[in-house]
Amino acid sequence: MYSSLLDSSKPKSRGFTLVELLVVIAIIGILIGLLLPAVQSAREAARRMQCTNHMKQYLLSIHNYVDAHQYVPASRSTLFNWTVNQGTDSAHGGYINCVVVLLPFMEQSARYDDICQQARDAAAGSWPFTSTAAMQDRIPTIICPSDAKASMPGPHLDIARISICTSLGDGLWNNARPDYGEGASSKMNSRGFFAPLCWRPLAFATDGTSNTIAISEMCGDDHYSTNVKGGIYRTSALYDGKSRPSACLTDSRKADDPNQLNSGSDSWRGLIWVDGRCAHASFTTILPPNSPSCAYTYPSLPYLAWGVFSAQSYHSGGVNCGMADGSVRFVSETIDCGSASSYAVTSGKSPYGVWGAMGSPCGGETVSM
């Protein structure tokens, strides 16, 4: 009997009940659910900071180039004609992105030499971009870490991509032509810090280099993409440099999915890092950041297009912008963009609000953000 009483006085051990186990699992799930957004936000903040650093390196290469040659490079040109005030559009296409000539100032001299030798070996007037290591190996300085596709090989001969683009200001642009005709002529070149086949000194930015955008971001996608970020909507309304950019907003997006375009075009954004044509490597300060890009394409030459090419990124709420003085700012999607129903101008103040004023180097505006 004593032994029985002794045994009954011992505390009994037991495991978790099913209800207790489910409660613990639910609590852990809630904690993970609360933690993941914070982790993702921290990772995006780190990627955005890294993107900012890449832009600063790009801007530093521009300033070092200006120190060596006295001119800001043309947004696109022939490979061996970088330091004259006006270029030609003949040898090797004249479509080569200015990032190529900036390579020696990004510690990429060997790659630059390889590309130059490749171009010398090609016949004049031919497209010198072939599937070589110099073209395929990606350059971290010209890629935004938040753009997952930018780190992938491009669909054209596996040539690497680019997600940093040059500013053409607040004028509508043609993908290949350096002039506009119909009275506008080359005056539209004055609406951006960069321009095709046009070299200019830093002093061109009379509004102040701290008030003038030099570079920003773009999202790249494949041919005929219908994604707003990376695609280019084909429209018949943007047929010359004097169209209204509101045509891009009227019917570009699908009614049931604002992230998709109604149709895509054969032009592309950022697929070939050496391609400097406007639709492929530049942006306009007309529609707000992360707006659609739109172009009019000629039936016989679908890759030549008048258009509005928006700055785009995968950062939440806006894009990084590199200013002509070497600083980097984050510009919100809600920045004042004036009236998209206004016609583009060739001189004076921009009709596209603060965003347009930031894009025009000599419009006579003083902007503040």
Side-chain angles (χ1 to χ4, degrees):
M1 180 177 180
Y2 176 79
S3 176
S4 175
L5 290 173
L6 185 62
D7 291 341
S8 64
S9 66
K10 291 181 179 179
K12 294 182 178 180
S13 62
R14 62 186 180 85
F16 287 108
T17 66
L18 179 60
V19 173
E20 290 172 329
L21 182 61
L22 291 175
V23 169
V24 171
I25 292 174
I27 292 173
I28 293 174
I30 292 172
L31 291 175
I32 292 174
L34 293 173
L35 181 62
L36 280 178
V39 171
Q40 291 172 347
S41 178
R43 287 178 175 174
E44 169 53 25
R47 288 192 291 263
R48 187 172 129 186
M49 184 177 296
Q50 189 177 5
C51 177
T52 298
N53 290 334
H54 288 175
M55 280 197 164
K56 288 182 178 179
Q57 294 177 49
Y58 194 112
L59 291 166
L60 181 61
S61 71
I62 294 173
H63 280 266
N64 287 336
Y65 179 90
V66 173
D67 287 343
H69 300 290
Q70 289 76 53
Y71 291 102
V72 174
S75 62
R76 68 168 178 84
S77 180
T78 58
L79 186 56
F80 304 115
N81 190 20
W82 287 101
T83 57
V84 294
N85 198 39
Q86 291 294 330
T88 61
D89 202 21
S90 55
H92 303 108
Y95 298 144
I96 297 178
N97 195 330
C98 66
V99 72
V100 175
V101 77
L102 295 175
L103 289 176
F105 303 95
M106 297 179 181
E107 300 181 353
Q108 295 280 340
S109 296
R111 188 191 301 260
Y112 176 73
D113 292 340
D114 287 346
I115 293 173
C116 287
Q117 187 59 53
Q118 178 181 318
R120 291 188 186 97
D121 293 341
S126 67
W127 192 254
F129 308 147
T130 57
S131 187
T132 64
M135 299 296 185
Q136 293 176 352
D137 293 342
R138 69 188 186 94
I139 306 172
T141 305
I142 61 176
I143 291 176
C144 173
S146 292
D147 187 348
K149 278 199 170 183
S151 298
M152 299 167 57
H156 182 75
L157 300 175
D158 292 333
I159 294 176
R161 306 180 188 232
I162 184 172
S163 52
I164 293 181
C165 48
T166 53
S167 172
L168 299 176
D170 63 346
L172 278 75
W173 281 86
N174 186 287
N175 203 17
R177 291 175 54 194
D179 65 280
Y180 276 52
E182 296 188 23
S185 188
S186 60
K187 292 181 180 178
M188 203 63 78
N189 284 349
S190 66
R191 301 309 297 181
F193 187 72
F194 287 90
L197 306 172
C198 186
W199 294 255
R200 50 175 61 111
L202 280 178
F204 179 78
T206 56
D207 290 345
T209 54
S210 62
N211 294 326
T212 303
I213 293 177
I215 59 176
S216 188
E217 304 177 77
M218 62 182 169
C219 299
D221 214 335
D222 296 340
H223 297 180
Y224 295 105
S225 170
T226 57
N227 290 323
V228 167
K229 292 188 176 182
I232 300 178
Y233 175 66
R234 180 180 295 179
T235 175
S236 60
L238 300 175
Y239 62 93
D240 60 27
K242 298 181 289 185
S243 301
R244 295 182 180 183
S246 56
C248 181
L249 297 176
T250 304
D251 58 354
S252 60
R253 287 179 165 134
K254 289 185 177 179
D256 58 343
D257 188 351
N259 294 317
Q260 291 290 311
L261 302 172
N262 281 315
S263 65
S265 72
D266 192 36
S267 294
W268 54 83
R269 301 283 282 159
L271 291 191
I272 305 174
W273 71 272
V274 284
D275 190 337
R277 286 177 287 181
C278 301
H280 308 164
S282 299
F283 73 101
T284 52
T285 57
I286 296 176
L287 300 181
N290 292 325
S291 292
S293 295
C294 302
Y296 170 80
T297 53
Y298 300 95
S300 59
L301 296 172
Y303 54 86
L304 302 180
W306 291 102
V308 178
F309 310 113
S310 298
Q312 298 174 338
S313 80
Y314 291 103
H315 307 309
S316 177
V319 296
N320 281 324
C321 289
M323 310 304 288
D325 66 349
S327 63
V328 177
R329 304 180 190 176
F330 187 76
V331 177
S332 171
E333 296 171 359
T334 60
I335 188 172
D336 170 40
C337 293
S339 173
S341 297
S342 299
Y343 290 104
V345 297
T346 58
S347 63
K349 294 184 178 181
S350 174
Y352 306 120
V354 174
W355 184 231
M358 291 175 69
S360 58
C362 50
E365 309 104 334
T366 301
V367 299
S368 61
M369 294 178 57

